[in-house]
Amino acid sequence: MSKLDELINDLCPDGVKFFSLGDIGKVCMCKRIYKHQTSIEGDIPFYKIGTFGKNPDSFISKSLYKEYKEKYRYPSKGDILFSASGTIGRTVVFNGEPAYFQDSNIVWIDNKEDLVLNTFLYYLYKQLDWNVSKGGTISRLYTKDIINIKIPIPPLPIQEEIVRILDTFTELTAELTAELTAELTARKKQYEYYRDKLLTFDDSVEWKELGEIGKLIRGNGLQKIHFREEGVPCIHYGQLYTYYGIFASKTKSFVSEEYAKKLRKAQKGDILISGVSENVEDICKPLGWFGEDVCISGDMFIFKHNQNTKYITYLLKTTDFSRYKERYAHGAKVTRLRQGKLLNYKIPVPPLAEQERIVKILDKFDTLTNDISKGLPAEIEARQKQYEYYRDKLLTFKEKKA
């Protein structure tokens, strides 16, 4: 029998008493901060719901911070802050460093630690059903909702033992995740190195601009509101870097046959290229298309050519092309590479037989890397699910009858 089992048998053999959050303390929040009181640079980080648990993008002055901290409610070191809007229940342990938090969107319970430990409360929040009072997805949790949520509160020795177990398990899970993530990164870099080596040529091979071997056709019209569950296959430019890999023959989205008549279409062997993105990395991301005719959206191009589709697609993934994009892509909020500059990019054009040989090698590398890329993230996800399973088991108690 484990130490935890012994404690439960000794201290609460008939079950654990449940309390509502309103019974363990008062729901607290910081004083409201108005936009004119903030700046993009400053002394004290001001965390809004969008930056909660992340890096701040807003600040308040030291004088305002000091005044509000003294006059109004402010968390103590160790208090568990949680989000009450947006993604409900995101948690942060307040470390005591100077910071301020958006009222009503970020709250905490001023709990009595002789009843429930902050550290125990932190783990309870992680598996709590914050949506108890409403059902469905909610965008805001009000105080009246929070105070009615019920939680199990075993005796303090049991809380301490559960926290010890979960702290250890959390650390081990984090270490394993870091190791697997590092392995995945290393494998990807290895693949990129060999891909670049295979696609590096000297002057013995003919070099041509993309505009000499093909032409670009800009997409038109398609927006996500036009998607249907079935119909004519279509691809929106945003899906090129959120859903698809380097090659595809099937789509996740469709449009009606009637609307498809208005859209430009790519054919088997064409390369689809994103024309706009939020960063240089995603601009001009290629997708070698090997399916039936597919409708495409604006802000992306069809590249029609007379070479090996996979060969050209692999070239547009190389480090050399990334550097070219960094040199010529432009835009502040939205990044673009002008059509002319894209067509000016020079590539090595060996005979088609040589292109096919290189593609066969790269396909094998790509398959191996994808297998690893699927395997390692799956392992990471499995470990996380395993952790959540044991955490939830440890925090599940029989309720003591009155």
Side-chain angles (χ1 to χ4, degrees):
M1 183 180 292
S2 70
K3 180 180 178 180
L4 180 59
D5 290 331
E6 291 178 358
L7 287 170
I8 291 174
N9 283 340
D10 290 343
L11 300 176
C12 49
D14 299 324
V16 168
K17 189 174 181 181
F18 280 58
F19 292 77
S20 66
L21 290 180
D23 292 332
I24 69 170
K26 184 178 178 63
V27 178
C28 301
M29 62 192 72
C30 289
K31 173 71 173 175
R32 175 164 294 184
I33 295 291
Y34 294 95
K35 188 173 182 180
H36 72 270
Q37 295 173 299
T38 67
S39 60
I40 59 174
E41 294 180 346
D43 305 311
I44 308 298
F46 175 54
Y47 292 95
K48 297 169 288 187
I49 194 62
T51 56
F52 182 53
K54 304 174 186 177
N55 295 320
D57 61 7
S58 188
F59 299 83
I60 61 173
S61 66
K62 281 184 180 178
S63 59
L64 183 64
Y65 164 72
K66 185 177 180 181
E67 177 189 352
Y68 278 19
K69 183 181 177 184
E70 291 175 354
K71 286 184 176 180
Y72 308 108
R73 290 194 176 275
Y74 189 78
S76 300
K77 184 176 181 179
D79 279 343
I80 312 302
L81 307 173
F82 59 90
S83 57
S85 70
T87 303
I88 304 297
R90 280 184 290 140
T91 54
V92 169
V93 181
F94 181 53
N95 60 13
E97 295 182 1
Y100 215 71
F101 303 91
Q102 189 176 28
D103 69 296
S104 77
N105 287 331
I106 301 169
V107 302
W108 71 95
I109 304 290
D110 186 15
N111 55 290
K112 308 159 189 173
E113 281 224 273
D114 58 350
L115 176 64
V116 56
L117 302 172
N118 278 332
T119 46
F120 183 73
L121 202 55
Y122 170 78
Y123 284 116
L124 277 178
Y125 285 169
K126 287 289 189 180
Q127 57 90 58
L128 194 60
D129 181 6
W130 293 96
N131 205 19
V132 167
S133 64
K134 291 196 173 183
T137 301
I138 62 174
S139 57
R140 177 167 291 279
L141 199 62
Y142 296 96
T143 297
K144 62 181 177 64
D145 303 312
I146 297 170
I147 62 175
N148 290 318
I149 294 174
K150 296 187 73 176
I151 59 171
I153 301 185
L156 288 176
I158 294 176
Q159 294 182 39
E160 291 169 352
E161 179 62 11
I162 289 174
V163 168
R164 185 193 68 78
I165 294 170
L166 287 175
D167 280 351
T168 302
F169 202 2
T170 299
E171 184 177 351
L172 291 172
T173 302
E175 288 177 0
L176 180 59
T177 298
E179 290 174 5
L180 291 170
T181 301
E183 175 68 12
L184 178 58
T185 301
R187 295 289 187 177
K188 285 182 176 179
K189 285 184 177 179
Q190 183 184 45
Y191 163 71
E192 290 168 2
Y193 172 80
Y194 285 112
R195 179 199 61 205
D196 289 354
K197 287 285 284 183
L198 275 169
L199 295 171
T200 299
F201 297 86
D202 55 26
D203 291 338
S204 62
V205 170
E206 186 176 16
W207 288 71
K208 292 183 178 181
E209 294 182 353
L210 286 177
E212 296 180 79
I213 64 169
K215 63 178 181 178
L216 288 175
I217 300 173
R218 184 184 290 274
N220 67 310
L222 174 65
Q223 297 181 33
K224 293 179 181 178
I225 58 172
H226 299 127
F227 288 173
R228 299 290 182 269
E229 292 186 3
E230 57 183 22
V232 180
C234 70
I235 295 178
H236 186 268
Y237 81 92
Q239 294 173 332
L240 290 180
Y241 41 79
T242 59
Y243 178 79
Y244 293 99
I246 190 169
F247 306 117
S249 58
K250 294 182 180 180
T251 66
K252 66 174 295 188
S253 304
F254 303 87
V255 292
S256 67
E257 291 187 10
E258 186 64 28
Y259 191 73
K261 295 175 183 177
K262 305 175 183 179
L263 301 173
R264 294 196 176 98
K265 299 175 182 64
Q267 298 174 315
K268 183 176 182 179
D270 290 341
I271 300 171
L272 309 183
I273 300 175
S274 60
V276 64
S277 77
E278 295 180 355
N279 54 66
V280 174
E281 181 182 357
D282 286 335
I283 192 68
C284 293
K285 183 181 183 298
L287 174 69
W289 181 249
F290 290 96
E292 59 184 295
D293 288 4
V294 59
C295 301
I296 69 165
S297 73
D299 284 325
M300 64 187 290
F301 299 100
I302 303 167
F303 183 61
K304 292 188 172 291
H305 56 91
N306 55 12
Q307 303 296 312
N308 185 295
T309 296
K310 286 192 171 183
Y311 175 77
I312 302 298
T313 307
Y314 279 128
L315 278 171
L316 295 180
K317 295 287 291 181
T318 58
T319 302
D320 183 74
F321 186 57
S322 294
R323 290 172 181 159
Y324 184 84
K325 291 190 295 183
E326 289 173 3
R327 198 177 316 137
Y328 294 110
H330 66 282
K333 294 183 179 180
V334 175
T335 303
R336 296 180 185 275
L337 183 67
R338 289 196 302 272
Q339 186 172 339
K341 280 297 180 184
L342 176 57
L343 292 173
N344 288 156
Y345 178 63
K346 280 194 170 185
I347 63 168
V349 186
L352 289 173
E354 177 63 8
Q355 292 182 31
E356 186 175 354
R357 185 189 71 83
I358 292 170
V359 162
K360 285 182 179 178
I361 297 172
L362 287 174
D363 279 351
K364 289 179 182 178
F365 271 120
D366 188 57
T367 299
L368 288 171
T369 305
N370 282 337
D371 287 345
I372 293 168
S373 296
K374 290 175 185 175
L376 290 177
E379 178 69 13
I380 292 170
E381 184 179 359
R383 296 296 181 181
Q384 183 62 29
K385 286 183 177 179
Q386 181 186 47
Y387 163 74
E388 291 171 0
Y389 171 80
Y390 284 113
R391 179 198 65 199
D392 293 351
K393 289 280 285 183
L394 284 170
L395 295 171
T396 299
F397 298 91
K398 178 178 72 172
E399 186 171 1
K400 186 176 182 178
K401 295 181 180 179

